[in-house]
Structure formats: structure tokens, C-alpha cells
């Protein structure tokens, strides 16, 4: 069992801004292109990452991470790179793990709501029939699939980093489904988490304590280390 698991969502990305604006206006295209894995941070996202670094710098030495694992996506890797540099600390070199990627949307990757409705008119009915937990976008994965890969990740994490303090930098779906896996939440309970705490916020911190021999939630989706917006 790891001694501590800290989950950090990446800082604000270009896609976070572009798709919010495009979906609000019902546009077919968003102001972002390329692969989801290569979407960069915005200037705000970089500032958020630096704030994570300042938070790390303020931790007592005995509470600093001993292992760092990130999603291979650019926005997660850059969040850690900036955070580590901002901290001024001699932190562990990060490694990436493919099991920490964002939800794979397949053919729907980087499509606006309007574009999905226009190009895949039957998809809304498929989604409603399957239910949100089991719905698989064409060529993508469901939340149930994410839970399976995160269970595998956690099993290996406890073996490889037993007794260590670990920080993971990844995505909103990963943070949310980590709670589901660790706390053995039903999908209805996952939805209740979202109703109570809102969406997982950019550069938010979630912490699990392993001191009791099992991971226990200490804080979730906290952003009080970030500068006011």
C-alpha cells in the first residue's frame, strides 16, 4: 500500500477554453486542432501549474512526494514540469503511464456537441440506451473501461511504491474514477460526488491517506492553492 496518493488534474488547457466557448454557441468547430494528446496548456493553465509547485514547496520535507507519475498527454506532462520547476525542490523525475490517459473518445475526439449531432445522429440514442457508465463512443471507451485500467494501475502502484508518497498528474475522468475504484463507489454514488463537489477542476488537488493500511479520502477537488480568478 502506498503511504499517500495525491491526484492533480492538469492546468487549464486550450481545449478546456475552446470547447466551452464552441459548445455554448452551438458551433461545429472549436478553436483547437490536432490530437487530444497534444493539446497544450493556456497561459492560465501554466500559472495554475506554477501554483501547484508553490503548494509543493510549502509542504514539510517529510510530506513531499517520493514518486511522480503522469499521463503521457502533453497538458499533464507540462503541468508537472512547470510545477516542479516552480517549487524549487529536488523532486523525483516523473514517469508516464498510459493507463492515466483521459477518456478515449475514439471517432468523437475533439468534436463539439453540434458536430457529434451532425455527423453521428444516432449517437444520442445509443448513449441514452447504454447509460453513461457503459456508453462507448465509436472507437472509444466507457467509464467502466476507465475503471478497469485504473484498477490495474493501482494494483501495480501499491506493489511498486509500497510505503511511498506518490503524486499523479492526469485528467478529470481519471481523478473521478480513481475515487470510484478506491472507494468502490457505484455509478449513482459517482454522480452524487459530481453533484456535491462539481466537476474536477483544473489543477485541483485530491489526496488519499494510506496510513491506516487502506486509502482514505482526505480532500477532494481542492483549489485553495490557486490564485483567485
Amino acid at each position: 500500500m502506498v503511504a499517500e496518493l495525491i491526484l492533480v488534474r492538469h492546468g487549464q488547457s486550450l481545449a478546456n477554453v475552446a470547447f466551452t466557448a464552441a459548445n455554448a454557441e452551438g458551433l461545429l468547430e472549436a478553436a483547437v486542432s490536432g490530437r487530444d494528446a497534444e493539446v497544450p496548456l493556456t497561459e492560465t493553465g501554466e500559472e495554475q501549474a506554477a501554483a501547484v509547485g508553490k503548494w509543493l514547496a510549502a509542504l514539510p520535507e517529510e510530506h513531499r512526494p517520493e514518486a511522480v507519475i503522469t499521463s503521457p498527454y502533453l497538458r499533464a506532462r507540462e503541468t508537472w514540469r512547470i510545477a516542479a520547476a516552480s517549487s524549487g525542490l529536488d523532486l523525483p523525475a516523473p514517469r508516464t503511464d498510459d493507463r492515466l490517459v483521459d477518456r478515449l473518445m475514439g471517432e468523437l475526439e475533439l468534436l463539439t456537441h453540434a458536430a457529434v449531432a451532425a455527423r453521428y445522429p444516432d449517437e444520442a440514442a445509443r448513449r441514452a440506451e447504454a447509460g453513461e457508465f457503459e456508453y462507448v463512443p465509436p472507437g472509444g471507451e466507457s467509464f467502466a473501461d476507465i475503471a478497469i485500467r485504473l484498477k490495474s494501475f493501482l494494483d501495480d502502484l501499491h506493489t511498486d511504491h509500497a510505503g511511498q508518497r506518490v503524486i499523479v498528474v492526469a485528467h478529470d475522468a481519471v481523478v473521478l474514477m480513481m475515487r470510484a475504484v478506491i472507494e468502490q463507489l457505484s455509478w449513482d454514488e459517482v454522480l452524487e460526488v459530481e453533484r456535491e463537489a462539481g466537476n474536477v477542476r483544473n489543477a485541483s488537488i485530491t489526496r488519499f491517506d494510506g496510513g491506516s493500511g487502506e486509502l482514505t479520502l482526505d480532500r477532494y477537488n481542492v483549489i485553495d492553492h490557486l490564485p483567485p480568478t
Side-chain angles (χ1 to χ4, degrees), residues 6 8-10 68-71 76 79-80 100 167-171:
I6 292 175
V8 179
R9 187 190 176 193
H10 62 78
V68 180
I69 310 171
T70 80
S71 160
T79 294
W80 177 254
L100 296 175
I167 189 165
V168 166
V169 184
H171 309 272

Side-chain angles (χ1 to χ4, degrees), residues 8-164:
V8 179
R9 187 190 176 193
H10 62 78
Q12 184 191 75
S13 73
L14 179 60
N16 293 149
V17 175
F19 277 88
T20 297
N23 288 330
E25 297 182 34
L27 302 180
L28 290 173
E29 299 289 342
V32 61
S33 60
R35 298 172 56 243
D36 185 31
E38 298 303 325
V39 171
L41 297 176
T42 62
E43 183 176 340
T44 294
E46 293 175 351
E47 292 170 355
Q48 291 171 335
V52 171
K54 300 301 184 189
W55 175 80
L56 286 166
L59 292 176
E61 184 174 358
E62 64 272 17
H63 291 163
R64 293 172 187 168
E66 299 169 289
V68 180
I69 310 171
T70 80
S71 160
Y73 284 17
L74 177 63
R75 54 191 180 272
R77 291 186 285 111
E78 280 296 280
T79 294
W80 177 254
R81 183 188 65 79
I82 294 169
S86 174
S87 74
L89 301 173
D90 183 18
L91 294 169
R95 68 175 179 86
T96 62
D97 193 302
D98 288 345
R99 291 170 292 186
L100 296 175
V101 298
D102 207 352
R103 184 185 181 186
L104 300 176
M105 296 302 292
E107 296 174 26
L108 308 188
E109 180 177 297
L110 295 184
L111 293 184
T112 65
H113 296 333
V116 172
R119 300 180 196 179
Y120 299 88
D122 298 330
E123 213 51 33
R126 282 189 63 246
R127 184 173 184 170
E129 181 179 359
E132 196 63 25
F133 184 62
E134 297 289 349
Y135 167 66
V136 180
E141 66 177 346
S142 67
F143 281 101
D145 295 325
I146 297 173
I148 291 170
R149 60 174 159 93
L150 291 181
K151 169 97 169 42
S152 168
F153 170 80
L154 285 166
D155 287 345
D156 288 346
L157 187 74
H158 291 312
T159 299
D160 298 341
H161 298 284
Q164 291 187 315

